Amino acid sequence: MSQFDDLIRKLDAVSKKEVPRAVSSTLNKVTAKIRTRIVKAVAKTTGVPQKLIRKRVYQRKSTVRTQRARITAYRGGVPYAALRARQTKAGVRAGKRLLQGAFIAPVQKPKGGRKNLVFRRNGAKRRTIKGNYIGQKRQPIKEQFLAIKDRVDEITPKVAARVMKSDLAIILARDLKYRLGKYQ
């Protein structure tokens, strides 16, 4: 009887303790893998360094109680100033992109630690008719961002589905085997 009771006690401990731990650990490993793949894919398609994309993709880890992991991606544009922008005659060049009519200007109260930002004027340029200027003297300016929203929305579900399908079962089996090995 004692061997049977011992076996029941071990199975009970495994089902209550180790299985939820293994599931939680597996979810964290899979979401970390998904995050890495999302960062690589978005960086490759947009031409933005992975370092800048990685700052915008967050992973909320699973716990034994919650059993839920979450990946959140900030889809707002990447400021051109973060892409090592430089002023040229035609405008501003950031990486392989040229922003016609843009300029780099210092900012007194920087957001995100950048003192020089890339701006472009909104609206039509002033025209002259018979030597007289027509139009506003000053046009409003707007900071320029590289849009990544569409790429993030397109890539994230595909990558998540692919990794969940291919790796979740393998990682869970490996984790369960490791945890059950403690009881033998």
Side-chain angles (χ1 to χ4, degrees):
M1 260 325 232
S2 66
Q3 288 179 343
F4 186 67
D5 290 337
D6 190 39
L7 186 61
I8 289 175
R9 190 171 33 82
K10 284 183 180 179
L11 286 173
D12 192 40
V14 167
S15 65
K16 286 185 179 177
K17 266 188 177 179
E18 297 298 335
V19 172
R21 285 180 182 172
V23 169
S24 179
S25 174
T26 300
L27 286 174
N28 289 334
K29 289 173 185 174
V30 169
T31 52
K33 195 174 237 186
I34 290 171
R35 179 178 183 255
T36 302
R37 300 256 174 98
I38 288 171
V39 167
K40 284 184 179 183
V42 171
K44 187 175 182 179
T45 57
T46 58
V48 175
Q50 287 183 26
K51 180 167 103 173
L52 296 176
I53 303 294
R54 195 175 297 114
K55 291 177 185 177
R56 297 164 174 272
V57 181
Y58 301 98
Q59 175 188 359
R60 187 169 182 188
K61 292 193 173 191
S62 170
T63 64
V64 175
R65 285 186 182 174
T66 59
Q67 297 287 317
R68 180 185 300 175
R70 180 178 291 178
I71 293 178
T72 308
Y74 171 64
R75 306 172 318 163
V78 177
Y80 277 104
L83 300 174
R84 294 190 294 166
R86 56 192 184 279
Q87 187 78 47
T88 62
K89 285 184 181 180
V92 173
R93 181 170 294 282
K96 295 180 179 179
R97 294 167 190 82
L98 176 66
L99 292 165
Q100 296 282 343
F103 57 94
I104 297 175
V107 180
Q108 288 185 350
K109 295 182 180 178
K111 292 180 183 177
R114 283 180 211 81
K115 294 182 180 178
N116 295 321
L117 299 178
V118 178
F119 294 98
R120 186 186 284 171
R121 295 202 179 278
N122 296 339
K125 287 188 174 184
R126 293 180 74 191
R127 299 176 294 146
T128 58
I129 296 179
K130 297 181 183 176
N132 297 326
Y133 282 103
I134 296 176
Q136 294 180 349
K137 284 187 177 181
R138 294 182 180 165
Q139 299 291 337
I141 62 174
K142 187 175 180 184
E143 186 180 354
Q144 298 298 300
F145 296 94
L146 174 64
I148 61 170
K149 178 183 176 186
D150 297 335
R151 304 269 170 73
V152 171
D153 289 344
E154 175 188 334
I155 289 170
T156 302
K158 290 179 184 176
V159 167
R162 187 179 336 123
V163 171
M164 292 291 276
K165 185 178 179 183
S166 66
D167 294 350
L168 181 68
I170 296 169
I171 294 173
L172 181 60
R174 188 182 307 145
D175 210 335
L176 278 171
K177 182 179 177 184
Y178 164 72
R179 290 176 188 279
L180 294 178
K182 292 193 242 179
Y183 292 94
Q184 291 178 354

